Amino acid sequence: MHRRSSLLRAGARLSVVVVSMVTVVTGGAAAEGGVHSISGPVAAISQAVRGEQVQLAPAPTMPACARVAVVGDSLTAASRSSLVSELDRAGIDNVVDGQVSRRIPAAVRDPYSGVSATRRIRATWGEADCWVIGLGSNDLESGADDPILAARWIDEQMAAVTPGARVWWINVYYRYEAGNAFDFPSATAVFNGVLAQRAAGDPLLVVLDWFSLVEMNPGWLVDGVHVRAEGYLARTDLTMGALPR
């Protein structure tokens, strides 16, 4: 009975610290027969630790867009009708300005400059709290295959929008141009990479991944860059799905 009480008291002490005394030795006649014998103590100690509880705050809700301005090239021009319709349906004041062959820099003559178009919208239609930019395709062959120049033009366009406004920039997909030896896929990768890097360091800029959408749906393409009607509807859906409402 005395021995049993001692064992119970020892077991109670193990509620905080677990100690096991085990000794194992091999060798001699016992080892040869496949039997292990005890010869000395081995101690294993584990201290119980309580974890710290952390209260997670809910993610902040992004304010809805009240006024949206869209500036782009021929892809924006071709999707303008569906985009305006969806923006109107959502009750969002909007202006959509798409122009064939439009590039980014202000050095290009109007209306073929995205920067100039952006400034004109601000001067005539007014400021927007949300901007959508669909430019870059026509800049690839004009120097945007150089990451330094691509970054300069992206910065120029970002500086042209309403100060403090949020910007969603649709990246580019350009596979080839008939009869043109220029490496459009490589230039596309450079421009999209620079754009993604810019967005990674700017909380006001979000990249909409048109490139991957077209990659997954090559049947949309009618040439190296333009798409069929279903592609333009998908481009509208991509834009509307990104804008907070």
Side-chain angles (χ1 to χ4, degrees):
M1 180 64 69
H2 178 72
R3 178 177 175 80
R4 178 177 177 82
S5 298
S6 299
L7 290 173
L8 290 174
R9 287 194 299 273
R13 288 195 299 272
L14 289 178
S15 61
V16 177
V17 179
V18 179
V19 180
S20 63
M21 303 297 292
V22 181
T23 59
V24 179
V25 66
T26 61
E32 292 174 2
V35 178
H36 299 288
S37 62
I38 296 174
S39 66
V42 176
I45 301 177
S46 175
Q47 179 69 49
V49 178
R50 180 180 294 278
E52 180 181 354
Q53 293 183 340
V54 178
Q55 182 67 43
L56 297 178
T61 302
M62 184 178 292
C65 292
R67 287 169 62 82
V68 173
V70 184
V71 177
D73 51 30
S74 58
L75 297 175
T76 297
S79 57
R80 182 183 183 280
S81 178
S82 63
L83 185 53
V84 168
S85 177
E86 290 302 316
L87 288 167
D88 287 346
R89 191 193 310 274
I92 300 173
D93 290 341
N94 65 87
V95 59
V96 178
D97 187 334
Q99 171 64 50
V100 174
S101 300
R102 178 173 280 160
R103 292 183 51 208
I104 297 172
V108 179
R109 66 185 176 87
D110 204 32
Y112 300 103
S113 161
V115 170
S116 296
T118 299
R119 292 170 178 167
R120 184 172 60 253
I121 287 173
R122 293 180 62 192
T124 57
W125 181 76
E127 302 294 1
D129 56 341
C130 298
W131 288 79
V132 177
I133 307 299
L135 297 169
S137 295
N138 296 308
D139 293 283
L140 299 179
E141 195 177 7
S142 298
D145 56 335
D146 176 353
I148 295 176
L149 197 51
R152 183 184 305 164
W153 288 339
I154 291 169
D155 287 346
E156 185 181 358
Q157 179 61 49
M158 289 294 294
V161 305
T162 303
R166 290 166 291 167
V167 178
W168 285 261
W169 194 311
I170 305 172
N171 67 10
V172 305
Y173 181 96
Y174 212 135
R175 187 172 57 183
Y176 68 89
E177 187 173 89
N180 191 336
F182 181 76
D183 191 350
F184 283 98
S186 176
T188 294
V190 169
F191 183 85
N192 286 347
V194 172
L195 181 61
Q197 186 176 26
R198 175 68 160 77
D202 188 344
L204 294 177
L205 176 60
V206 175
V207 175
L208 300 186
D209 195 7
W210 172 246
F211 177 88
S212 294
L213 196 56
V214 178
E215 277 280 278
M216 292 186 293
N217 298 276
W220 290 347
L221 290 164
V222 296
D223 55 25
V225 63
H226 299 98
V227 295
R228 304 181 193 282
E230 58 266 37
Y232 291 119
L233 291 175
R235 190 176 174 92
T236 293
D237 289 343
L238 176 67
T239 302
M240 294 303 300
L243 297 178
R245 285 171 278 169

